Amino acid sequence: MRVGELGDGFERGVRIADFRTGSGLEFTVLVDRGLDIGWGTYRGASIFWRSPTTAIGPAFYEPEGLGWLRGFHGGVNTCGLSYFGAPGPDEGQELGLHGRASFTPATHVAYGGDWQGDEYELWLTGQLREAMVFGEY
């Protein structure tokens, strides 16, 4: 496993963790994008669709209406935590598409690898928090 940061354009500063297994599976976790899987390959063939928006940094999140789609990187995205679905009003609050979890940087991130019997296990953990004063937590 290798960790680093993306370095160009709207992706600049997004922390990543690259996983490479001995079986040919390779994928990248976007640490600053809700621990989503941004892209991956199996034996060199792409296994995820990639969006032309790229894995933009969380500062570029657009919460209104369909603005979430301006940062939908493809891969595997988190929708939620407190809300997911179509934009619109809910209990007096105007909600955008799918919520902000996919644009939330993880904290308390740890990673490594360990032998479990004859198998080598790669792992990454982190925490996401959605919180608002007098609101969700």
Side-chain angles (χ1 to χ4, degrees):
M1 180 182 347
R2 178 178 64 179
V3 295
E5 288 185 5
L6 300 175
D8 194 33
F10 293 108
E11 296 180 324
R12 182 176 305 177
V14 173
R15 295 176 297 161
I16 62 169
D18 286 327
F19 287 79
R20 292 188 174 91
T21 69
S23 67
L25 175 64
E26 299 181 5
F27 60 94
T28 298
V29 175
L30 304 170
V31 174
D32 288 332
R33 290 291 310 270
L35 296 172
D36 291 346
I37 298 175
W39 49 85
T41 61
Y42 181 68
R43 296 185 178 173
S46 179
I47 55 175
F48 297 111
W49 174 77
R50 290 209 52 200
S51 162
T53 67
T54 72
I56 68 172
F60 297 104
Y61 173 53
E62 294 184 25
E64 297 83 17
L66 297 175
W68 187 89
L69 294 172
R70 293 189 184 279
F72 174 46
H73 54 75
V76 178
N77 276 258
T78 303
C79 298
L81 302 166
S82 60
Y83 169 76
F84 66 91
D90 183 40
E91 296 183 15
Q93 182 180 5
E94 192 64 35
L95 301 174
L97 182 67
H98 295 325
R100 64 183 64 246
S102 181
F103 291 85
T104 302
T107 60
H108 307 292
V109 176
Y111 56 90
D114 300 301
W115 283 101
Q116 304 292 325
D118 292 339
E119 302 288 323
Y120 192 73
E121 182 179 285
L122 297 169
W123 55 271
L124 178 134
T125 64
Q127 294 179 354
L128 297 183
R129 177 179 19 203
E130 266 191 57
M132 181 175 121
V133 175
F134 308 121
E136 73 273 1
Y137 178 69

